[in-house]
Amino acid sequence: MALGSWGTEAAAQDTSLRSARTLSTTPALSKVRQPGSLPNPKRAAGSDLVPEIENIVVVMMENHSFDNMLGMLGRGDGFPLDAKGKPKAACPDGKGNLVHAFHMPSDCQTDGVGNDWNAAHGSYDNGTNQGFVIAQTGESMGYFLGSDMPFTWGLANTFPIADRWFCSLLGQTDPNRRYLISGTSLGLVSDSFPSALPPNGTIFNTFNKYDISWRDYYSNVPTAGVYLPLLGQPAISENLVKIDQFFTDAASGSLPQFSLLEPNYSIQSEENPQDVQYGDQFLSDVVNAVLSSPQWSKTLMIWTYDEWGGWYDHVPPPIAVTPDDVPPNLPPGSLPGTFARYGFRVPGGVISPYAKKDFVSHTIYDHTSILKTVETKWNLPALTRRDANAADVLEMVDFSAK
């Protein structure tokens, strides 16, 4: 796969690390890249190393595991099935019974699943992934089908998907979204707010430093708000615009170089107890706007979910590179854990005219893979150790086969 003008030395290093991640390991300490380092140290920071792509668009939904959303898709590492085509997955309920995976009876979810630190680590159950029901309720074993999520399944059947995309930590939404924009949660494990920015800022600050245009198109709450100090920076707040502007910009061919698209988190994000079809429709709307845009021929769109939402997944999260030296800030009564492990799998993939046909990636990704992709494209300095050593998503595209 051609990677624009990205140097062969850096490409070889990335291939080596990608192979390690595919085997569910982490790079040896001697190979761990550090914050501030460049994907290609022989080129100036801000250099365009992947000219085939001019626009990167990211849409992140909420709170579903791979098995819950795509486990019955038939592509990638979904549910192991029995002779009748039913999932074999089951978890004990702590009362001597097994709760088997089942098709959700409604598009509307209830409050039977949770996503906090203890629910996550209890579900992980020391690597067995057998604690979902005990840590939450039997609803955690539910899953959806294409009849429930027609666009999402159609998208996952048409474009490349990743069956080893993990959320960034075994924790809630806000810490995972901090990894998306900064490569760390600054020790936070719950939906709370830090009083300061990370030492190297966020990817939005980096974009501004290197004159890379960007917008966070939000419906009711911008992800930039997971760091409240960001909202007081005029160079940031001027790029936080309502989602209606995205459709205007896409239609007119004026999307910035990087776009983050956000659903209405009250009704469209697919978090429980929402009706998931509202999120399916939102995804359809934004993807079709990109497909119809005059900029489509030079676009790479990435879609995923911020965390697993409490839903069962059969693949135990592997070890991960710690982002920094800040340990988890665990309140009393918390189960033990570190940031040296990913969270559960979530759906993820790419949409592009360069997308590989019939391709499923088995490379380990997390949300910092999105950071790594933009860093690879514009040769930007890494924010933390996690994004420095993440895999970019360019394995899922082929620039020679458009």
Side-chain angles (χ1 to χ4, degrees), residues 279-297:
D280 192 62
Q281 183 62 56
F282 173 80
L283 191 61
S284 172
D285 291 343
V286 296
V287 170
N288 279 299
V290 170
L291 292 172
S292 302
S293 173
Q295 294 165 282
W296 163 245
S297 64

Side-chain angles (χ1 to χ4, degrees), residues 24-49:
S24 297
T25 63
T26 194
L29 183 61
S30 61
K31 294 184 178 180
V32 172
R33 278 184 54 214
Q34 296 301 313
S37 61
L38 300 176
N40 186 343
K42 296 181 179 180
R43 297 288 301 276
S47 299
D48 187 353
L49 305 185

